[in-house]
Amino acid sequence: MDIAYIPSPSSGVIHLGPLPLRGYAFCIILGVFVAVWYGNRRWIARGGKAGTVADISVWAVPFGLVGGRLYHVITDYQLYFSDGKNWVDAFKIWEGGLGIWGAIAFGAVGAWIGCRRRGIPLPAYADAIAPAIVLAQAIGRWGNWFNQELYGKATDVPWALEISDGANRDSGLYHPTFLYESLWCVGVALLVIWADRRFKLGHGRAFALYVAAYCVGRAWIEYMRVDEAHHVLGLRLNVWTAIIVFVLAVAYIVVSARIRPGREEIVEPDRELLGKDAKDAKDTKAEDGDVTTAGAKDDAPGADADAEDATDATDATDAAAAKKV
């Protein structure tokens, strides 16, 4: 007899009158809200301005959602494009299915666009929001609990997750891998916060640390999962992705520390000062032009004097010749 386990919701949707509130979407939205709020605090502490994180998230979040969905659909295409499946389901993001690898990659593109528009270095921005992103992941993973997905092998541990009968799943008690990853993400956030304070990480190294630490946990958690997935050389595709991304993140930390040690002193230039500097530079250039013109004018009298001297000499020569004759 099972004396303890984690129950799953009987439904992933809560109806607020005629409005359906889906648990998966709610967790994603809550995660984004927390990421923007905490990321804003860290950005201000780094010397940035309030509201900048929210402005850039307008670009980063949509790109991240699209990238996350694309990665999921591409790597699990059989769920949508095989016989008996409806390809329209690929657009039903509220039913679950966001690949973190695609979300981070595309989200970085969106953040780059937002940073470029404001004259902000992307690595500094990434360092500030790294713990906020992984906290958003921790919250978003609870969306899998609402959908009864992403669980591990069958188990009888007291914290086992109860799964009911449904499409592509059998009832029973399983390892709650969504919970493991959520807790791991919280630990990664604390690690990055500590390391950033202790070593003054800069130039994207705090973000790279988050990526590397997350990949370590994702690799062993992914290995526990029993849902359908593609395998390469006996390992799930996401395990290989975690290994490759981990190596790249560690390499970036090492190389970046040698090439660009320390931390950025200015993370968000003041637009007013930039405008003033540009105006001062323009005025200085104009003044230099005036000085050059004035100098040319000053040289002119000297040239005139030389011309007069030459004329006088010619007249004297002519007079002497006439007298001699």
Side-chain angles (χ1 to χ4, degrees):
M1 179 178 179
D2 300 311
I3 59 175
Y5 58 84
I6 301 174
S8 291
S10 58
S11 174
V13 182
I14 301 175
H15 291 276
L16 302 178
L19 180 65
L21 178 62
R22 301 183 182 277
Y24 186 87
F26 174 76
C27 291
I28 297 297
I29 294 173
L30 180 60
V32 170
F33 175 81
V34 171
V36 172
W37 168 77
Y38 185 55
N40 183 67
R41 292 188 58 183
R42 282 182 53 84
W43 182 247
I44 294 174
R46 284 289 300 271
K49 297 180 182 179
T52 296
V53 172
D55 292 342
I56 296 178
S57 68
V58 172
W59 291 91
V61 172
F63 271 74
L65 291 175
V66 172
R69 188 59 175 177
L70 281 176
Y71 181 89
H72 167 72
V73 172
I74 292 173
T75 56
D76 290 316
Y77 62 88
Q78 73 282 354
L79 299 178
Y80 308 100
F81 303 104
S82 59
D83 293 338
K85 301 296 183 179
N86 188 357
W87 63 271
V88 177
D89 293 340
F91 297 94
K92 297 179 179 179
I93 192 173
W94 55 87
E95 293 183 355
L98 288 174
I100 187 61
W101 315 111
I104 295 299
F106 274 62
V109 173
W112 175 79
I113 295 174
C115 287
R116 185 177 177 83
R117 290 168 59 89
R118 298 181 68 97
I120 295 172
L122 178 61
Y125 179 80
D127 284 340
I129 67 172
I133 292 176
V134 74
L135 284 177
Q137 291 177 234
I139 297 172
R141 271 305 177 202
W142 283 87
N144 302 128
W145 176 63
F146 281 97
N147 287 351
Q148 297 194 45
E149 58 186 1
L150 302 188
Y151 47 86
K153 302 175 182 178
T155 183
D156 58 356
V157 296
W159 57 87
L161 175 66
E162 180 190 34
I163 296 295
S164 59
D165 283 321
N168 302 319
R169 67 173 187 254
D170 298 323
S171 62
L173 298 177
Y174 301 89
H175 277 287
T177 52
F178 85 90
L179 177 60
Y180 298 160
E181 185 169 339
S182 180
L183 295 175
W184 182 268
C185 287
V186 173
V188 171
L190 295 176
L191 170 65
V192 175
I193 293 172
W194 170 81
D196 192 32
R197 292 177 178 175
R198 175 66 176 79
F199 302 106
K200 303 297 182 182
L201 300 177
H203 301 287
R205 288 187 287 276
F207 185 84
L209 175 61
Y210 140 63
V211 172
Y214 171 75
C215 287
V216 172
R218 180 61 184 267
W220 70 265
I221 293 172
E222 189 73 24
Y223 188 75
M224 296 178 62
R225 288 169 53 174
V226 295
D227 55 306
E228 184 179 357
H230 295 287
H231 287 71
V232 178
L233 300 178
L235 293 178
R236 293 167 65 98
L237 176 60
N238 281 334
V239 174
W240 282 111
T241 304
I243 293 173
I244 294 172
V245 174
F246 170 81
V247 172
L248 293 176
V250 172
Y252 178 86
I253 294 174
V254 174
V255 174
S256 174
R258 293 180 178 179
I259 297 177
R260 306 186 70 182
R263 173 187 281 184
E264 302 90 339
E265 294 183 0
I266 299 177
V267 297
E268 184 170 6
D270 193 315
R271 288 187 174 183
E272 294 181 359
L273 290 179
L274 287 176
K276 183 177 182 298
D277 292 341
K279 183 177 182 299
D280 292 343
K282 184 177 180 180
D283 294 341
T284 301
K285 185 177 180 180
E287 291 175 0
D288 292 341
D290 294 341
V291 171
T292 302
T293 303
K297 291 181 178 179
D298 292 340
D299 292 340
D304 294 340
D306 292 340
E308 291 176 358
D309 292 341
T311 302
D312 293 342
T314 301
D315 292 344
T317 302
D318 294 341
K323 183 177 182 180
K324 184 176 181 180
V325 171

